[in-house]
C-alpha cells in the first residue's frame, strides 16, 4: 500500500493546548501539528490505497480526538532548494545545478513561483516524481499533486457536511439499548400489481 505525505490546514487546534495535542496524538500518532504565522497545519505520512483515503483517514482520526478541530483544506506542499537538498542528503549547490539542468539527468520540473527574496519554490510532488524517475531515493511518502489536493479538499468538505448533518447516535443512551428487529416487506402484492400491468 502506498504511503502519502499530506498536509491539511486546520482551525480550532491550539498548539499550546497540550491536552488537545495529546488527544490528537493518541488517535493519529503519525500526525504532526505545526503553526506558521498563526496558521495551523497537520502534516502526516499515511498509508492508504489512494491519496483521498489517506486524507480522510487523517481527518477522521483527528475528529475522533477532538470534534471541535475543523479541517479546512488539503494543501500543496512547496519546497525550495534547501528543502530538496535535505530530502536527498546533498548540498544545495548540487541541487541548484539540477534545477538549471547543468547536472543530473535533466528535465527538472519548472518552479511554481518565486517567494520572498526571489526564492524559487517547486511542488513537492513534482520534485518527488523527478527524483523517483532519476532513481534518487527520498525519505517519506509521496506528496500530493495539485489534482490530488483538489480531490482531497472536496473529500474534506464532504466529511464536514457529514459530521454536521449526522447526529452522534452512538453517544445516545437509547442507541445502546435499541434492538434491531427484522422487517418483512410485503412483496407479493407488489409483484401481482406489476404482473397485471
Amino acid at each position: 500500500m502506498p504511503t502519502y505525505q499530506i498536509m491539511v490546514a486546520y482551525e480550532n487546534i491550539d498548539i499550546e493546548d497540550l491536552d488537545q495535542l495529546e488527544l490528537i496524538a493518541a488517535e493519529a500518532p503519525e500526525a504532526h501539528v505545526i503553526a506558521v504565522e498563526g496558521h495551523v497545519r497537520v502534516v502526516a505520512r499515511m498509508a492508504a490505497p489512494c491519496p483521498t483515503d489517506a486524507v480522510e483517514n487523517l481527518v477522521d482520526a483527528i475528529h475522533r480526538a477532538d470534534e471541535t478541530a475543523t479541517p479546512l483544506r488539503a494543501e500543496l506542499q512547496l519546497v525550495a532548494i534547501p528543502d530538496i537538498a535535505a530530502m536527498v542528503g546533498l548540498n544545495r549547490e548540487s541541487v541548484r545545478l539540477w534545477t538549471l539542468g547543468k547536472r543530473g539527468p535533466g528535465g527538472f520540473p519548472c518552479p511554481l513561483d518565486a517567494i520572498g527574496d526571489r526564492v524559487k519554490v517547486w511542488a513537492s510532488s513534482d520534485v518527488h516524481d523527478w527524483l523517483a524517475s532519476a532513481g534518487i531515493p527520498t525519505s517519506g511518502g509521496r506528496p500530493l499533486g495539485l489534482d490530488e489536493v483538489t480531490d482531497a479538499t472536496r473529500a474534506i468538505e464532504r466529511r464536514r457536511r457529514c459530521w454536521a448533518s449526522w447526529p452522534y447516535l452512538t453517544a445516545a443512551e437509547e442507541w445502546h439499548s435499541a434492538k434491531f428487529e427484522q422487517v418483512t416487506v410485503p412483496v407479493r402484492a407488489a409483484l401481482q400489481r406489476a404482473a397485471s400491468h
Side-chain angles (χ1 to χ4, degrees):
M1 188 176 310
T3 300
Y4 298 98
Q5 187 175 16
I6 55 180
M7 182 165 57
V8 179
Y10 262 86
E11 280 184 337
N12 302 326
I13 293 181
D14 182 357
I15 62 165
E16 295 181 4
D17 184 346
L18 296 181
D19 292 334
Q20 183 186 36
L21 295 179
E22 284 179 10
L23 289 171
I24 291 171
E27 285 291 334
E30 60 284 319
H32 302 281
V33 179
I34 59 173
V36 178
E37 297 178 2
H39 300 285
V40 175
R41 288 168 180 82
V42 176
V43 179
R45 290 185 185 134
M46 303 284 292
C50 69
T52 303
D53 286 353
V55 172
E56 287 178 343
N57 292 343
L58 175 65
V59 297
D60 284 345
I62 293 174
H63 186 73
R64 285 191 304 272
D66 185 346
E67 294 177 7
T68 64
T70 308
L72 301 176
R73 67 192 163 276
E75 293 193 341
L76 185 67
Q77 296 180 32
L78 302 176
V79 290
I81 287 175
D83 305 312
I84 301 166
M87 283 168 54
V88 295
L90 294 174
N91 62 45
R92 295 177 186 187
E93 182 60 18
S94 295
V95 173
R96 189 183 74 77
L97 293 173
W98 283 350
T99 66
L100 299 174
K102 294 182 178 179
R103 259 201 205 151
F108 198 82
C110 295
L112 288 183
D113 202 355
I115 59 172
D117 193 20
R118 296 183 303 189
V119 175
K120 293 178 183 177
V121 291
W122 289 262
S124 186
S125 56
D126 293 344
V127 172
H128 183 275
D129 292 346
W130 183 86
L131 291 170
S133 69
I136 300 167
T138 62
S139 59
R142 186 178 74 72
L144 274 57
L146 186 56
D147 290 342
E148 294 165 331
V149 166
T150 302
D151 291 343
T153 297
R154 288 185 185 129
I156 289 170
E157 291 168 359
R158 285 191 302 271
R159 278 291 197 258
R160 287 179 58 185
R161 283 194 303 272
C162 176
W163 296 332
S165 61
W166 287 2
Y168 290 94
L169 294 177
T170 55
E173 189 63 36
E174 300 81 23
W175 180 259
H176 294 292
S177 61
K179 293 185 179 179
F180 294 98
E181 297 179 7
Q182 185 175 358
V183 178
T184 305
V185 179
V187 288
R188 189 176 321 150
L191 288 173
Q192 289 173 347
R193 280 196 303 271
S196 65
H197 290 291

